[in-house]
Amino acid sequence: MKTALTTATAIALASATCLAADIKLPEPNRTGGKPLNEALAARQTNRDFSTAPLTDQELSDLLWAANGFNRPEVKKRTAPTAVNRQEVDLYVCRAEGAYLWDGEANVLKQVTDKDLRGFTGRMGSPENFALVAPVALVYVVDYARQGMQERPQDAFKYASVDCGFIGQNVYLHCASAGLHTVFLGMINPKELSAALGLPATRVPLFGQTVGHAK
Ligand SMILES: Cc1cc2nc3c(=O)[nH]c(=O)nc-3n(C[C@H](O)[C@H](O)[C@H](O)COP(=O)(O)O)c2cc1C
């Protein structure tokens, strides 16, 4: 037992050493943007992207709008969740790797240095827009944190709608910031789970491509 623990610790330390590429994002802009009705009027799906990366500021603003803490004193966020379980984690997949967003610290924690964007969008197509756009968000539901496993239909229902609220926040932020985006049911949860090292209780449910216009 002692040996196994020691080995596991060593692996964790080794991978932490290899992937010490966490990114501390700048403070997000919590004011400004288009008036709500103008953002609603502009909200739409766009699949034509340029390869231009998002700046750290653009990413920080996007993630805060998506699911950031808008009431940090009570640890509540821009998107609601059923029973306030806050069970959705955002992963940010870019060409240089995939990151788990820690919304409290506003840090992107690198999970892998692999490009996982191809497990979203038009998978297997050389014209997959997800490989052009710089960012593929992946919405991972933690069913253990949600705590509704004894009622699987409710668990799936609430997890899906909770992802949908985040997706709409992203749509409205993109409409306001002049970015393009497309919400995605088309993701490969099996490949994403393996590449992100997720346990069976944490499931990628949706994705969302974000980038600049072509
Ligand atoms: C739950 C859901 C899943 C979707 N999945 C995909 C998808 O896998 N691929 C895609 O290209 N668009 C996807 N979309 C985007 C829809 O095709 C798009 O919202 C729809 O055509 C309406 O266009 P609009 O968003 O501009 O109003 C999805 C949208 C929703 C709400």
Side-chain angles (χ1 to χ4, degrees):
M1 184 61 168
K2 195 174 173 205
T3 312
L5 279 179
T6 308
T7 309
T9 308
I11 291 167
L13 283 174
S15 49
T17 310
C18 296
L19 300 173
D22 296 352
I23 300 167
K24 171 73 182 147
L25 294 172
E27 274 297 293
N29 288 305
R30 296 178 176 83
T31 59
K34 284 192 174 138
L36 177 60
N37 281 357
E38 284 179 33
L40 284 166
R43 195 230 44 99
Q44 61 185 285
T45 295
N46 272 300
R47 298 180 184 82
D48 53 324
F49 293 98
S50 90
T51 56
L54 296 192
T55 64
D56 284 358
Q57 187 65 58
E58 285 173 322
L59 204 45
S60 181
D61 294 351
L62 170 77
L63 292 167
W64 182 78
N67 200 27
F69 288 95
N70 63 353
R71 292 152 292 159
E73 66 285 0
V74 286
K75 292 191 186 284
K76 289 194 169 179
R77 301 178 185 252
T78 58
T81 52
V83 210
N84 189 32
R85 291 293 157 83
Q86 302 189 18
E87 75 278 15
V88 185
D89 289 321
L90 269 58
Y91 284 78
V92 177
C93 303
R94 309 201 290 192
E96 67 274 24
Y99 306 80
L100 171 62
W101 179 55
D102 174 343
E104 264 188 301
N106 203 22
V107 168
L108 293 176
K109 300 188 158 190
Q110 191 167 32
V111 178
T112 172
D113 56 6
K114 304 230 164 27
D115 181 359
L116 309 185
R117 294 172 302 161
F119 297 133
T120 71
R122 289 192 192 121
M123 288 159 285
S125 161
E127 291 173 7
N128 187 1
F129 53 79
L131 289 169
V132 178
V135 168
L137 299 176
V138 174
Y139 301 147
V140 172
V141 170
D142 186 333
Y143 282 109
R145 194 189 310 153
Q146 186 197 40
M148 298 180 186
Q149 293 105 317
E150 73 287 357
R151 293 177 284 130
Q153 277 187 326
D154 280 347
F156 183 62
K157 176 172 83 172
Y158 292 133
S160 298
V161 80
D162 292 344
C163 289
F165 280 114
I166 297 171
Q168 179 71 346
N169 282 351
V170 170
Y171 266 116
L172 289 173
H173 175 76
C174 288
S176 172
L179 297 170
H180 279 190
T181 189
V182 48
F183 191 79
L184 297 173
M186 282 191 307
I187 62 167
N188 187 329
K190 212 171 147 197
E191 295 286 2
L192 285 168
S193 293
L196 295 171
L198 301 177
T201 49
R202 300 185 65 218
V203 179
L205 268 198
F206 294 99
Q208 190 151 2
T209 313
V210 180
H212 293 279
K214 188 150 76 180

